[in-house]
């Protein structure tokens, strides 16, 4: 029976493998080829070598979008994870109504990014108007912090649930041993709880990192890159290059930007995973 299962096991993998091949590998390979071409449709691609990639690194809008995305990502990753972890600590102390609070904090994650963007656009513009400040379309600083507040509001609840699961898996024996040894609550947090929830930290940092770099719909709805592309993130910049401009040269340039963007996210994500996993301890 076991030999028969081993013999036919590749058949069970085949549907998923075909779906992955058709849905990801083939389109990625075709997109990689098109990044070296000028084209308006896939059928009329003209190979131009590295010309598109040379244009990318001399494109001021792309470089500015990269800088803005990095600055945004650093702030968003820190704020989302720190606040989510603090909330998880509070909601694992057996307080009254913890299930209600968990639900309330998690609910924004269920709302679509476009909807959230327009909701927060209205709210922030109202506050700016009351304060006598320029609206988002003319206020890059407000656009930056608006994006951070929006993403914190959406993602903190989701990350909080992951941190709660990690904290609940910390052995009571370890906590009791720390208490017997006279460790303070602060020492227990840094020396016991945080090292033991490093797998959760790895997951949450990975999710917030990739979400920050891939952010598109909230950026489009909240600021649209205004004013003058100063709040335009990488994904929106690629979209604008590929779809908002007519001509074969722009399609190829947009495709080259997309390939660079993909490789950038992969490299940064792998580096982050390696760094945080090296600090994980065996439970």
């Amino acid at each position: 029976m076991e030999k028969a299962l081993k013999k036919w096991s590749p058949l069970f993998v085949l549907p998923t493998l075909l779906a992955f091949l058709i849905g990801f590998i083939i389109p990625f390979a075709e997109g990689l080829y098109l990044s070296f071409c000028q084209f308006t449709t896939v059928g009329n691609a003209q190979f131009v070598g590295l010309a598109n990639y040379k244009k990318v690194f001399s494109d001021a809008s792309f470089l500015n979008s990269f800088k803005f995305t990095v600055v945004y990502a650093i702030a968003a990753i820190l704020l989302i994870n720190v606040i989510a972890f603090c909330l998880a600590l509070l909601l694992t102390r057996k307080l009254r109504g913890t299930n209600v609070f968990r639900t309330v904090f998690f609910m924004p994650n269920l709302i679509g990014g476009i909807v959230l963007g327009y909701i927060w656009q209205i709210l922030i513009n109202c506050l700016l108007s009351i304060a006598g400040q320029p609206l988002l379309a003319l206020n890059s600083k407000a656009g930056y912090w608006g994006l951070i507040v929006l993403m914190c509001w959406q993602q903190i609840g989701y990350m909080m649930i992951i941190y709660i699961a990690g904290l609940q898996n910390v052995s009571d024996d370890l906590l009791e041993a720390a208490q017997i040894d006279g460790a303070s609550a602060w020492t227990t947090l840094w020396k016991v709880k945080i090292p033991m929830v490093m797998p959760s930290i790895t997951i949450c940092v990975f999710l917030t990192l990739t979400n920050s770099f891939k952010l598109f719909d909230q950026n489009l709805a909240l600021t649209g890159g205004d004013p003058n592309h100063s709040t335009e993130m990488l994904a929106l910049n690629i979209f604008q290059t590929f779809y908002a401009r007519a001509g074969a040269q722009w399609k190829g340039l947009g495709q080259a930007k997309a390939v660079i963007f993909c490789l950038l996210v992969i490299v940064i994500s792998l580096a982050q995973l390696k760094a945080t996993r090296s600090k994980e301890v065996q439970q």
Side-chain angles (χ1 to χ4, degrees), residues 202 273-281:
T202 297
L273 286 173
K274 184 178 180 180
T276 51
R277 280 179 175 170
S278 66
K279 299 184 181 298
E280 292 180 9
V281 295

Side-chain angles (χ1 to χ4, degrees), residues 6-253:
K6 288 182 178 179
K7 181 180 179 180
W8 296 103
S9 58
L11 288 176
F12 296 98
V13 180
L14 190 59
T16 303
L17 184 61
L18 285 173
F20 183 70
L21 186 67
I22 296 170
F24 179 78
I25 298 297
I26 294 175
F28 181 81
E30 188 170 10
L32 184 62
Y33 169 72
L34 290 173
S35 70
F36 295 98
C37 301
Q38 286 189 355
F39 64 97
T40 52
T41 63
V42 176
N44 70 348
Q46 180 183 358
F47 189 80
V48 293
L50 295 173
N52 290 328
Y53 287 93
K54 291 178 182 177
K55 290 179 182 177
V56 168
F57 292 106
S58 61
D59 186 340
S61 68
F62 183 76
L63 298 177
N64 289 333
S65 295
F66 174 74
K67 292 176 184 177
F68 181 80
T69 303
V70 170
V71 173
Y72 161 82
I74 292 170
I77 291 166
L78 289 174
L79 287 172
I80 290 170
N81 284 283
V82 169
I83 296 172
F85 187 77
C86 291
L87 289 174
L89 285 173
L90 288 173
L91 295 178
T92 50
R93 292 192 174 185
K94 299 179 181 179
L95 302 175
R96 283 188 177 182
T98 53
N99 289 333
V100 175
F101 284 116
R102 291 180 190 182
T103 303
V104 170
F105 284 123
F106 184 77
M107 282 179 65
N109 188 71
L110 304 177
I111 305 174
I114 288 287
V115 177
L116 278 177
Y118 285 120
I119 290 172
W120 279 93
Q121 183 192 69
I122 294 169
L123 289 173
I124 294 172
N125 276 333
C126 286
L127 292 173
L128 290 172
S129 179
I130 292 170
Q133 297 294 318
L135 301 184
L136 285 172
L138 301 171
N139 194 332
S140 59
K141 186 178 289 187
Y144 171 76
W145 287 108
L147 282 168
I148 290 176
V149 170
L150 188 161
M151 293 310 298
C152 284
W153 192 72
Q154 183 183 28
Q155 293 187 22
I156 281 173
Y158 187 83
M159 304 307 158
M160 177 195 71
I161 296 298
I162 298 175
Y163 283 129
I164 286 173
L167 288 168
Q168 288 176 338
N169 285 329
V170 177
S171 173
D172 291 334
D173 294 338
L174 287 174
L175 298 177
E176 288 177 7
Q179 188 176 10
I180 292 170
D181 289 340
S184 64
W186 187 253
T187 303
T188 302
L189 172 64
W190 281 100
K191 300 297 184 180
V192 179
K193 290 184 177 180
I194 289 179
M196 297 306 291
V197 298
M198 276 307 298
S200 297
I201 293 173
T202 297
I203 294 169
C204 290
V205 173
F206 174 79
L207 290 174
T208 50
L209 174 66
T210 53
N211 288 339
S212 296
F213 272 88
K214 296 187 300 181
L215 190 68
F216 171 74
D217 43 0
Q218 294 92 334
N219 188 202
L220 177 65
L222 184 69
T223 68
D226 293 329
N228 195 28
H229 304 284
S230 61
T231 61
E232 186 177 77
M233 301 184 74
L234 282 173
L236 182 58
N237 179 266
I238 293 167
F239 174 84
Q240 298 285 14
T241 303
F242 197 94
Y243 291 104
R245 298 175 178 178
Q249 72 275 19
W250 296 113
K251 302 295 183 186
L253 181 61

